[in-house]
Amino acid sequence: TSTEVENEFNSVWKNGYEFAFRINNFLRGMNKETSGISKDKKSIFLGEAYGMRAYIHFDLFSIYGPIYSTAAATDKTIPYNNLNLEGKYDEVMATLINLSAENFIKTLLEDIEKAESYLDMVDPVVRDFDTAITNTLEDHFYRNRNRRMNFYAVRALKARVLQYIGKSAEAAAIASEILDLNKFKWVDSPSSGSNYTLFSEVIFGFNNLDFYLKAEKFYQSSDAQRAYLMASTVHKAIFDLDNDN
């Protein structure tokens, strides 16, 4: 019933589906593209787009539900926005609105599988990991692939979805497959001068140009009502201050 909370939820919903529409427009344009771009680069673009469409819909499903279970599989759920606007809009919209949770997940996994097929053996992160993921951020399409929807990010997303719907063994197999590559290495205990972004552990990450301003607002704000603060009594109750180094 809080207006502020309601506005936040409305914003998440609106921005999520707007993002999906942008991806759909991009996919339509890319599928029409016949010149001016190499076959491999086009395949990477398509794989990233299908992966991102699945990623945003999984987030929306996690927030707005229903919580997935065998009993809830036939329940009506949120739309999966893979609208082909060249088709009959009303007919497609009716299909989206009447989607069951089971078919939503099926559609989501189909997008993931498309992303996998486009990226497998074409994504530089698969062909030459050490070149595709450097230790520092670079403004280069074929590097820092762990900051884009790369092949392993799609595989990790698939593991998240399978775990969410109760297929834990399949999810664990994919997670083990990625860890066994020994490419995304755990960072040692941070010490003076360490890179606190834990860059080598990142399978998929976003760049947020407003991150510093947001952090400053919440952690250094002079407005106590908007800052992230903890009472000293709570602090002492939660953390073992004498032994926690």
Side-chain angles (χ1 to χ4, degrees), residues 33-50:
E33 173 64 36
T34 57
S35 63
I37 186 172
S38 71
K39 181 180 178 181
D40 283 0
K41 194 165 189 177
K42 179 177 179 178
S43 185
I44 292 172
F45 278 147
L46 289 170
E48 288 184 354
Y50 280 114

Side-chain angles (χ1 to χ4, degrees), residues 29-241:
M30 286 302 301
N31 283 317
K32 288 181 177 179
E33 173 64 36
T34 57
S35 63
I37 186 172
S38 71
K39 181 180 178 181
D40 283 0
K41 194 165 189 177
K42 179 177 179 178
S43 185
I44 292 172
F45 278 147
L46 289 170
E48 288 184 354
Y50 280 114
M52 285 304 304
R53 189 165 74 180
Y55 185 95
I56 192 64
H57 279 94
F58 184 53
D59 266 6
L60 289 167
F61 186 82
S62 299
I63 296 169
Y64 298 102
I67 296 172
Y68 195 87
S69 67
T70 303
T74 57
D75 289 354
K76 294 293 185 290
T77 188
I78 62 176
Y80 196 99
N81 187 8
N82 54 0
L83 272 177
N84 177 1
L85 297 181
E86 293 178 334
K88 294 183 179 180
Y89 182 84
D90 291 340
E91 292 180 9
V92 178
M93 273 303 296
T95 303
L96 296 183
I97 291 170
N98 291 312
L99 203 62
S100 67
E102 184 177 41
N103 285 331
F104 182 98
I105 294 295
K106 179 183 177 182
T107 305
L108 193 157
L109 288 170
E110 286 172 354
D111 266 359
I112 289 176
E113 285 160 11
K114 287 178 185 176
E116 287 177 316
S117 65
Y118 278 116
L119 291 170
D120 190 16
M121 301 311 295
V122 178
D123 191 339
V125 79
V126 177
R127 295 188 298 184
D128 186 1
F129 188 95
D130 293 334
T131 300
I133 296 184
T134 56
N135 292 326
T136 57
L137 285 174
E138 295 185 28
D139 186 16
H140 192 298
F141 178 74
Y142 291 113
R143 297 192 180 184
N144 295 147
R145 292 293 301 165
N146 57 340
R147 309 296 293 211
R148 302 180 68 94
M149 182 56 76
N150 64 79
F151 175 75
Y152 297 120
V154 172
R155 294 289 288 159
L157 174 62
K158 189 173 190 177
R160 287 180 60 209
V161 175
L162 291 173
Q163 192 273 337
Y164 189 83
I165 64 174
K167 296 187 177 182
S168 299
E170 293 177 48
I174 295 174
S176 296
E177 166 199 314
I178 296 172
L179 290 173
D180 289 347
L181 292 169
N182 198 29
K183 296 293 188 180
F184 299 97
K185 298 180 185 294
W186 300 116
V187 173
D188 291 335
S189 298
S191 59
S192 179
S194 293
N195 180 354
Y196 290 102
T197 62
L198 309 184
F199 196 80
S200 65
E201 296 184 7
V202 176
I203 298 176
F204 173 53
F206 290 110
N207 286 331
N208 186 339
L209 299 179
D210 295 327
F211 185 79
Y212 177 79
L213 293 176
K214 289 180 182 293
E216 188 178 45
K217 172 184 173 183
F218 288 125
Y219 293 104
Q220 299 182 27
S221 174
S222 59
D223 184 352
Q225 291 185 332
R226 294 189 175 276
Y228 288 152
L229 303 173
M230 181 184 294
S232 61
T233 51
V234 176
H235 186 221
K236 291 176 182 177
I238 294 175
F239 297 102
D240 182 358
L241 302 182

